[in-house]
Amino acid sequence: MKEIWLQKWDERYKQDEFAYGINPNNYLKSQLEKLPLGEILFAAEGEGRNAVFAASQGWKVSAFDISIEGKRKAMLLADANQVEIDYQIGFLPELGYADESFDAIALIYAHFPADIKSAYHHLLSRNLRKGGHVIFEAFSKNHLNYLAKNKDVGGPTDPAMLFSIEEIKDDFADFEILELTEEEVQLNEGLYHNGIGSVIRLLGRKR
């Protein structure tokens, strides 16, 4: 399963064009602007559009993904924007991030395989300092209805990889929920997120 997952993302990121564009996700951008600068970790960061934006705003940025092609593109984007990001390749449990070492964690369309996604959320919560924030946007379980009408909007086809508000509440039970909504949004992100979709958005603060 790991090999199939890795091959999928390497193939997607190998092309010259950025799969999800070079501009930051709108929700991430709007939330980062509200928070004090500090150290932030980007999970499943792919080609680096969000990490590079955060670095350009003055954050100290770490990121990880399983795709070496994603990192290659991210470092090209970082160089083009004259910023630095610490980008690791591998699976989260093996990367050695210390407990309570980040002020914010960003999960932007971090659709981990269904059998590990909640465990990854719990691990990432441990990496966050008390009072730190999690910023989350990903497709909801209702997104399949939108995907059936427009494949260009993208997102997983496996319902188990999609999210509900109840699941996010359970995964981030130790957080003060500052915002948690399911919303219909218009996406225009590179080659693979185009059209109207249904997303879960979360801004939480670790107690």
Side-chain angles (χ1 to χ4, degrees):
M1 176 63 185
K2 284 184 178 181
E3 290 75 17
I4 295 171
W5 194 243
L6 177 58
Q7 182 180 5
K8 171 189 174 178
W9 292 109
D10 275 346
E11 287 295 327
R12 178 158 293 186
Y13 297 146
K14 192 177 292 184
Q15 57 197 315
D16 291 337
E17 192 166 351
F18 280 71
Y20 300 101
I22 61 173
N23 296 316
N25 171 265
N26 287 333
Y27 185 67
L28 172 85
K29 183 176 183 291
S30 69
Q31 299 309 311
L32 279 187
E33 290 170 349
K34 302 175 185 177
L35 302 181
L37 295 175
E39 298 180 63
I40 186 169
L41 175 62
F42 285 85
E45 176 53 9
E47 297 167 313
R49 64 191 176 108
N50 296 307
V52 167
F53 170 76
S56 75
Q57 301 303 297
W59 288 82
K60 183 178 180 182
V61 175
S62 298
F64 72 89
D65 201 282
I66 59 170
S67 171
I68 189 67
E69 293 293 337
K71 179 179 179 179
R72 178 182 65 82
K73 298 275 280 295
M75 302 316 290
L76 288 173
L77 190 60
D79 288 346
N81 286 270
Q82 298 182 316
V83 298
E84 293 185 4
I85 58 175
D86 178 15
Y87 197 127
Q88 291 201 68
I89 296 295
F91 295 92
L92 177 60
E94 303 161 4
L95 297 180
Y97 293 118
D99 289 354
E100 299 188 10
S101 55
F102 295 98
D103 302 295
I105 288 176
L107 293 128
I108 304 300
Y109 297 100
H111 287 276
F112 299 113
D115 59 337
I116 64 170
K117 64 179 184 177
S118 287
Y120 268 40
H121 290 166
H122 295 150
L123 283 172
L124 289 165
S125 297
R126 286 171 47 186
N127 299 141
L128 190 62
R129 296 182 178 115
K130 290 182 179 179
H133 293 82
V134 60
I135 305 168
F136 176 100
E137 179 175 294
F139 291 117
S140 77
K141 292 190 182 295
N142 290 322
H143 181 68
L144 290 178
N145 297 322
Y146 295 80
L147 186 59
K149 297 174 185 175
N150 173 24
K151 64 179 179 58
D152 292 336
V153 73
T157 57
D158 179 359
M161 292 182 64
L162 301 170
F163 297 96
S164 67
I165 283 179
E166 291 73 21
E167 181 180 8
I168 295 303
K169 283 181 178 177
D170 287 344
D171 284 358
F172 297 97
D174 294 334
F175 285 70
E176 176 187 0
I177 302 299
L178 304 177
E179 178 176 306
L180 178 57
T181 61
E182 181 172 345
E183 298 185 26
E184 184 179 271
V185 298
Q186 176 74 46
L187 294 172
N188 182 19
E189 298 183 329
L191 300 174
Y192 292 99
H193 281 173
N194 290 285
I196 298 173
S198 176
V199 302
I200 302 290
R201 288 174 164 173
L202 165 71
L203 178 66
R205 182 164 54 219
K206 187 176 178 181
R207 294 190 177 99

